[in-house]
Amino acid sequence: MSLTAEAATNVARVLAEALPYIRRFRGKTIVIKYGGNAMVDEELKNSFARDVVLMKTVGFNPVVVHGGGPQIGSLLERLGKESRFVSGMRVTDSETMDVVEMVLGGLVNKEIVNLINRHGGSAVGLTGKDGDLIRARKLHVSSGADGATPQNVDIGHVGEVKSIDASVVDMLVQGDFIPVIAPIGVGEDGHSYNINADLVAGKVAEVLRAEKLLLLTNTRGLLSKDGELLTGLSPARVDDLIADGTIHGGMLPKIRCALEAVRGGVTTSHIIDGRVKHAVMVELFTDEGIGTLIG
Protein backbone atom coordinates (compact mmCIF):
# COMPACT_ATOMS: atom_id res chain seq x y z
CA MET A 1 0.00 0.00 0.00
CA SER A 2 1.49 3.33 -1.06
CA LEU A 3 1.94 6.15 1.46
CA THR A 4 0.23 9.49 1.17
CA ALA A 5 2.52 12.48 0.73
CA GLU A 6 1.86 13.50 4.35
CA ALA A 7 2.64 10.02 5.69
CA ALA A 8 5.83 9.82 3.61
CA THR A 9 6.93 13.20 4.98
CA ASN A 10 6.34 11.98 8.53
CA VAL A 11 8.45 8.87 7.87
CA ALA A 12 11.26 11.04 6.50
CA ARG A 13 11.06 13.32 9.54
CA VAL A 14 11.30 10.37 11.93
CA LEU A 15 14.31 8.94 10.09
CA ALA A 16 16.06 12.32 10.10
CA GLU A 17 15.43 12.67 13.83
CA ALA A 18 16.79 9.18 14.48
CA LEU A 19 20.02 9.64 12.51
CA PRO A 20 22.03 11.50 15.21
CA TYR A 21 21.12 8.82 17.76
CA ILE A 22 22.12 6.03 15.39
CA ARG A 23 25.51 7.70 14.91
CA ARG A 24 25.94 8.33 18.66
CA PHE A 25 25.14 4.81 19.81
CA ARG A 26 26.61 2.77 16.96
CA GLY A 27 28.90 0.12 18.46
CA LYS A 28 27.57 0.81 21.97
CA THR A 29 26.08 -1.81 24.27
CA ILE A 30 22.47 -1.36 25.40
CA VAL A 31 21.23 -3.69 28.16
CA ILE A 32 17.45 -4.11 28.30
CA LYS A 33 15.53 -5.66 31.17
CA TYR A 34 12.43 -7.13 29.55
CA GLY A 35 9.38 -7.81 31.70
CA GLY A 36 5.88 -6.75 32.69
CA ASN A 37 3.08 -6.29 30.16
CA ALA A 38 5.59 -6.23 27.30
CA MET A 39 6.20 -9.94 27.95
CA VAL A 40 2.57 -11.09 27.91
CA ASP A 41 0.75 -8.88 25.40
CA GLU A 42 1.17 -10.30 21.88
CA GLU A 43 1.32 -6.93 20.12
CA LEU A 44 3.85 -5.57 22.62
CA LYS A 45 5.95 -8.74 22.37
CA ASN A 46 6.24 -8.35 18.63
CA SER A 47 7.00 -4.62 18.80
CA PHE A 48 9.75 -5.32 21.36
CA ALA A 49 11.32 -7.97 19.13
CA ARG A 50 11.28 -5.63 16.14
CA ASP A 51 12.88 -2.86 18.21
CA VAL A 52 15.72 -5.18 19.29
CA VAL A 53 16.33 -6.35 15.74
CA LEU A 54 16.38 -2.75 14.49
CA MET A 55 18.93 -1.84 17.17
CA LYS A 56 21.22 -4.62 16.02
CA THR A 57 20.70 -3.77 12.35
CA VAL A 58 21.82 -0.14 12.81
CA GLY A 59 24.93 -1.18 14.74
CA PHE A 60 23.92 -1.16 18.40
CA ASN A 61 24.74 -4.14 20.63
CA PRO A 62 21.54 -5.05 22.49
CA VAL A 63 21.70 -7.49 25.41
CA VAL A 64 18.36 -8.68 26.82
CA VAL A 65 17.81 -9.82 30.42
CA HIS A 66 14.29 -11.09 31.14
CA GLY A 67 12.07 -11.89 34.07
CA GLY A 68 9.15 -14.31 34.25
CA GLY A 69 7.48 -14.16 37.66
CA PRO A 70 3.87 -14.41 36.40
CA GLN A 71 4.76 -17.36 34.17
CA ILE A 72 6.41 -19.14 37.11
CA GLY A 73 3.37 -18.50 39.30
CA SER A 74 1.02 -19.78 36.59
CA LEU A 75 2.89 -23.07 36.15
CA LEU A 76 3.16 -23.61 39.93
CA GLU A 77 -0.60 -23.11 40.19
CA ARG A 78 -1.22 -25.64 37.43
CA LEU A 79 1.03 -28.08 39.30
CA GLY A 80 -0.98 -27.51 42.47
CA LYS A 81 1.89 -25.84 44.32
CA GLU A 82 1.13 -22.71 46.33
CA SER A 83 3.31 -19.62 45.81
CA ARG A 84 4.50 -18.00 49.05
CA PHE A 85 6.28 -14.66 49.35
CA VAL A 86 8.37 -13.06 52.08
CA SER A 87 9.22 -9.37 51.71
CA GLY A 88 8.18 -9.59 48.06
CA MET A 89 10.47 -12.56 47.37
CA ARG A 90 9.14 -15.93 46.23
CA VAL A 91 9.95 -18.72 48.69
CA THR A 92 11.85 -21.13 46.45
CA ASP A 93 12.41 -24.67 47.69
CA SER A 94 14.19 -27.25 45.53
CA GLU A 95 10.97 -28.30 43.77
CA THR A 96 10.04 -24.68 43.02
CA MET A 97 13.57 -24.02 41.76
CA ASP A 98 13.12 -26.83 39.25
CA VAL A 99 10.03 -25.02 37.97
CA VAL A 100 11.88 -21.68 37.92
CA GLU A 101 14.66 -23.16 35.79
CA MET A 102 12.15 -24.81 33.48
CA VAL A 103 10.20 -21.57 32.98
CA LEU A 104 13.00 -18.98 32.90
CA GLY A 105 15.75 -20.99 31.25
CA GLY A 106 13.42 -22.95 29.00
CA LEU A 107 9.95 -21.75 28.11
CA VAL A 108 10.32 -17.96 28.48
CA ASN A 109 13.92 -17.69 27.31
CA LYS A 110 13.34 -19.74 24.18
CA GLU A 111 10.12 -17.90 23.37
CA ILE A 112 11.99 -14.57 23.39
CA VAL A 113 14.83 -16.03 21.32
CA ASN A 114 12.37 -17.42 18.80
CA LEU A 115 10.46 -14.12 18.63
CA ILE A 116 13.61 -12.09 17.92
CA ASN A 117 14.77 -14.62 15.32
CA ARG A 118 11.39 -14.59 13.57
CA HIS A 119 11.73 -10.84 13.15
CA GLY A 120 15.11 -11.16 11.47
CA GLY A 121 17.57 -11.19 14.38
CA SER A 122 20.07 -13.81 15.52
CA ALA A 123 19.40 -14.33 19.22
CA VAL A 124 21.03 -16.88 21.52
CA GLY A 125 19.49 -17.80 24.87
CA LEU A 126 21.47 -18.57 28.01
CA THR A 127 21.15 -18.58 31.77
CA GLY A 128 23.67 -17.31 34.27
CA LYS A 129 24.91 -20.89 34.60
CA ASP A 130 26.19 -20.93 31.01
CA GLY A 131 29.85 -20.01 30.74
CA ASP A 132 29.83 -19.31 34.50
CA LEU A 133 28.16 -16.01 33.62
CA ILE A 134 26.50 -15.29 37.00
CA ARG A 135 27.99 -16.35 40.30
CA ALA A 136 25.34 -16.11 43.01
CA ARG A 137 25.18 -16.09 46.75
CA LYS A 138 22.16 -16.95 48.86
CA LEU A 139 19.95 -13.97 49.67
CA HIS A 140 19.04 -13.52 53.32
CA VAL A 141 15.87 -11.57 54.11
CA SER A 142 14.34 -10.26 57.30
CA SER A 143 10.64 -10.25 58.04
CA GLY A 144 8.59 -9.17 61.01
CA ALA A 145 5.18 -7.80 61.85
CA ASP A 146 4.80 -4.10 62.65
CA GLY A 147 6.63 -3.35 65.86
CA ALA A 148 8.16 -6.82 66.03
CA THR A 149 11.84 -7.61 65.85
CA PRO A 150 12.71 -8.63 62.27
CA GLN A 151 13.51 -12.31 61.94
CA ASN A 152 15.85 -13.86 59.40
CA VAL A 153 13.83 -16.07 57.09
CA ASP A 154 15.21 -18.79 54.83
CA ILE A 155 13.47 -18.38 51.46
CA GLY A 156 15.44 -21.12 49.74
CA HIS A 157 17.05 -20.81 46.32
CA VAL A 158 16.79 -17.03 46.00
CA GLY A 159 20.08 -15.28 45.39
CA GLU A 160 21.87 -12.05 44.67
CA VAL A 161 24.70 -11.39 42.25
CA LYS A 162 28.14 -12.15 43.66
CA SER A 163 30.04 -11.66 40.40
CA ILE A 164 29.56 -11.53 36.63
CA ASP A 165 31.90 -13.06 34.05
CA ALA A 166 30.60 -11.56 30.82
CA SER A 167 33.13 -13.21 28.49
CA VAL A 168 30.45 -15.48 26.99
CA VAL A 169 28.24 -12.42 26.38
CA ASP A 170 31.15 -10.56 24.76
CA MET A 171 31.79 -13.55 22.53
CA LEU A 172 28.16 -13.60 21.37
CA VAL A 173 28.07 -9.84 20.78
CA GLN A 174 31.28 -9.97 18.75
CA GLY A 175 29.78 -12.82 16.74
CA ASP A 176 26.86 -10.53 15.85
CA PHE A 177 24.37 -12.39 18.04
CA ILE A 178 21.83 -10.93 20.47
CA PRO A 179 22.27 -12.51 23.93
CA VAL A 180 19.05 -13.25 25.85
CA ILE A 181 19.80 -13.96 29.51
CA ALA A 182 17.63 -15.71 32.11
CA PRO A 183 18.47 -14.50 35.66
CA ILE A 184 19.58 -17.78 37.19
CA GLY A 185 22.97 -18.00 38.86
CA VAL A 186 25.00 -20.74 40.50
CA GLY A 187 26.42 -20.59 44.01
CA GLU A 188 29.68 -21.91 45.43
CA ASP A 189 27.58 -24.79 46.81
CA GLY A 190 26.70 -25.76 43.22
CA HIS A 191 23.03 -24.94 43.71
CA SER A 192 20.99 -22.84 41.31
CA TYR A 193 19.59 -19.51 42.51
CA ASN A 194 16.78 -17.36 41.16
CA ILE A 195 17.86 -13.70 41.06
CA ASN A 196 15.81 -10.55 40.49
CA ALA A 197 16.06 -9.69 36.78
CA ASP A 198 16.48 -5.95 37.41
CA LEU A 199 19.53 -6.65 39.57
CA VAL A 200 21.04 -8.98 36.98
CA ALA A 201 20.45 -6.45 34.18
CA GLY A 202 22.12 -3.71 36.21
CA LYS A 203 25.17 -5.81 37.04
CA VAL A 204 25.51 -7.06 33.46
CA ALA A 205 25.33 -3.44 32.25
CA GLU A 206 28.08 -2.44 34.70
CA VAL A 207 30.43 -5.24 33.69
CA LEU A 208 29.85 -4.60 29.97
CA ARG A 209 30.37 -0.84 30.50
CA ALA A 210 27.08 -0.35 28.71
CA GLU A 211 26.03 2.97 27.25
CA LYS A 212 22.48 2.49 28.52
CA LEU A 213 20.43 0.32 30.86
CA LEU A 214 16.73 0.22 29.93
CA LEU A 215 14.31 -1.15 32.53
CA LEU A 216 10.86 -1.86 31.05
CA THR A 217 8.09 -1.44 33.62
CA ASN A 218 4.31 -1.24 33.88
CA THR A 219 4.43 2.44 34.86
CA ARG A 220 5.10 5.69 32.98
CA GLY A 221 8.39 6.06 34.85
CA LEU A 222 9.23 7.88 38.05
CA LEU A 223 6.46 10.25 39.14
CA SER A 224 6.60 13.29 41.40
CA LYS A 225 4.31 13.56 44.44
CA ASP A 226 1.94 15.49 42.15
CA GLY A 227 1.87 12.65 39.64
CA GLU A 228 4.06 14.40 37.06
CA LEU A 229 6.61 12.36 35.11
CA LEU A 230 10.19 13.12 36.18
CA THR A 231 12.58 12.88 33.23
CA GLY A 232 16.29 13.78 33.37
CA LEU A 233 17.59 13.18 36.90
CA SER A 234 21.10 13.29 38.31
CA PRO A 235 22.15 10.65 40.88
CA ALA A 236 22.16 13.36 43.57
CA ARG A 237 18.59 14.32 42.68
CA VAL A 238 17.52 10.67 42.89
CA ASP A 239 19.07 10.48 46.38
CA ASP A 240 16.99 13.51 47.39
CA LEU A 241 13.79 11.95 46.03
CA ILE A 242 14.47 8.77 47.99
CA ALA A 243 15.15 10.78 51.15
CA ASP A 244 11.92 12.80 50.90
CA GLY A 245 9.77 9.76 50.20
CA THR A 246 8.90 10.55 46.57
CA ILE A 247 10.48 7.25 45.57
CA HIS A 248 9.01 4.48 47.69
CA GLY A 249 7.42 1.06 47.63
CA GLY A 250 7.90 -1.18 44.61
CA MET A 251 9.66 1.53 42.59
CA LEU A 252 12.46 1.87 45.15
CA PRO A 253 14.41 -1.32 44.30
CA LYS A 254 14.16 -0.58 40.57
CA ILE A 255 15.42 3.00 41.01
CA ARG A 256 18.26 1.83 43.25
CA CYS A 257 19.24 -0.70 40.60
CA ALA A 258 19.28 2.02 37.93
CA LEU A 259 21.20 4.37 40.20
CA GLU A 260 23.80 1.76 41.13
CA ALA A 261 24.36 0.97 37.46
CA VAL A 262 25.11 4.64 36.70
CA ARG A 263 27.46 4.87 39.66
CA GLY A 264 29.08 1.65 38.42
CA GLY A 265 29.97 3.14 35.04
CA VAL A 266 26.82 2.87 32.88
CA THR A 267 26.33 6.20 31.10
CA THR A 268 22.56 6.44 31.65
CA SER A 269 19.75 4.31 33.08
CA HIS A 270 16.16 4.59 31.90
CA ILE A 271 12.87 3.54 33.50
CA ILE A 272 10.46 3.23 30.57
CA ASP A 273 6.85 2.22 30.09
CA GLY A 274 6.79 -1.22 28.50
CA ARG A 275 3.03 -0.88 27.90
CA VAL A 276 3.76 1.55 25.05
CA LYS A 277 4.29 0.03 21.60
CA HIS A 278 7.90 0.37 20.44
CA ALA A 279 8.86 1.88 23.81
CA VAL A 280 12.53 0.98 23.27
CA MET A 281 12.63 2.64 19.85
CA VAL A 282 10.90 5.78 21.13
CA GLU A 283 13.40 6.07 23.97
CA LEU A 284 16.48 5.54 21.82
CA PHE A 285 15.61 7.23 18.53
CA THR A 286 13.50 10.30 19.33
CA ASP A 287 14.14 13.69 20.90
CA GLU A 288 11.23 13.32 23.33
CA GLY A 289 12.10 9.86 24.65
CA ILE A 290 9.80 8.15 27.12
CA GLY A 291 10.01 7.55 30.85
CA THR A 292 12.68 8.60 33.34
CA LEU A 293 16.39 9.01 32.55
CA ILE A 294 19.02 8.84 35.30
CA GLY A 295 22.53 9.89 34.48
Side-chain angles (χ1 to χ4, degrees):
M1 185 175 66
S2 61
L3 295 175
T4 65
E6 182 180 1
T9 300
N10 286 335
V11 170
R13 179 185 57 79
V14 169
L15 291 173
E17 185 176 316
L19 184 58
Y21 298 101
I22 293 173
R23 286 175 173 160
R24 184 188 309 174
F25 303 132
R26 185 171 181 82
K28 304 291 187 180
T29 297
I30 314 289
V31 176
I32 311 159
K33 187 271 177 163
Y34 178 48
N37 279 37
M39 277 187 70
V40 294
D41 179 279
E42 288 300 321
E43 193 171 13
L44 293 175
K45 284 159 63 173
N46 282 287
S47 75
F48 172 79
R50 287 194 294 268
D51 287 359
V52 171
V53 173
L54 177 63
M55 290 168 64
K56 191 68 175 178
T57 301
V58 300
F60 299 3
N61 294 321
V63 176
V64 178
V65 178
H66 66 84
Q71 293 90 335
I72 294 168
S74 176
L75 182 53
L76 286 171
E77 184 179 356
R78 298 206 317 262
L79 293 173
K81 189 169 179 64
E82 180 185 2
S83 292
R84 293 196 303 117
F85 294 86
V86 173
S87 300
M89 303 286 187
R90 185 188 303 276
V91 177
T92 307
D93 58 18
S94 294
E95 187 179 46
T96 301
M97 190 65 218
D98 288 342
V99 172
V100 169
E101 290 206 70
M102 182 192 309
V103 173
L104 291 184
L107 299 174
V108 173
N109 187 271
K110 301 316 172 192
E111 180 187 20
I112 298 168
V113 166
N114 183 51
L115 196 61
I116 292 172
N117 290 347
R118 281 201 294 113
H119 285 283
S122 295
V124 174
L126 62 161
T127 76
K129 298 171 74 173
D130 294 308
D132 214 18
L133 170 58
I134 304 172
R135 279 283 175 176
R137 57 175 165 250
K138 187 179 178 68
L139 180 65
H140 298 277
V141 299
S142 297
S143 178
D146 291 343
T149 301
Q151 301 293 319
N152 287 329
V153 179
D154 187 346
I155 57 173
H157 295 261
V158 179
E160 57 186 349
V161 176
K162 180 181 179 182
S163 64
I164 300 279
D165 180 354
S167 55
V168 65
V169 176
D170 280 326
M171 180 184 68
L172 290 171
V173 169
Q174 296 308 314
D176 219 26
F177 294 101
I178 300 168
V180 179
I181 303 169
I184 298 168
V186 62
E188 291 184 357
D189 55 9
H191 292 153
S192 299
Y193 288 92
N194 184 20
I195 307 174
N196 178 276
D198 289 335
L199 296 179
V200 170
K203 292 300 182 185
V204 168
E206 286 182 44
V207 170
L208 293 176
R209 310 299 288 182
E211 179 71 18
K212 291 179 179 292
L213 168 66
L214 306 181
L215 302 174
L216 271 64
T217 71
N218 285 341
T219 64
R220 291 165 52 210
L222 179 58
L223 304 180
S224 70
K225 290 182 177 179
D226 298 325
E228 297 296 321
L229 180 66
L230 299 172
T231 52
L233 300 174
S234 68
R237 176 63 176 145
V238 173
D239 286 336
D240 291 340
L241 292 170
I242 292 173
D244 71 14
T246 300
I247 304 174
H248 64 279
M251 183 59 77
L252 192 54
K254 196 173 293 289
I255 291 292
R256 282 185 169 145
C257 168
L259 185 60
E260 189 172 332
V262 169
R263 287 182 166 146
V266 177
T267 306
T268 54
S269 291
H270 306 248
I271 313 292
I272 64 175
D273 193 344
R275 300 169 301 179
V276 175
K277 280 182 64 178
H278 297 295
V280 173
M281 194 183 304
V282 173
E283 179 61 32
L284 291 176
F285 295 134
T286 68
D287 294 337
E288 291 80 10
I290 185 173
T292 299
L293 178 150
I294 301 171

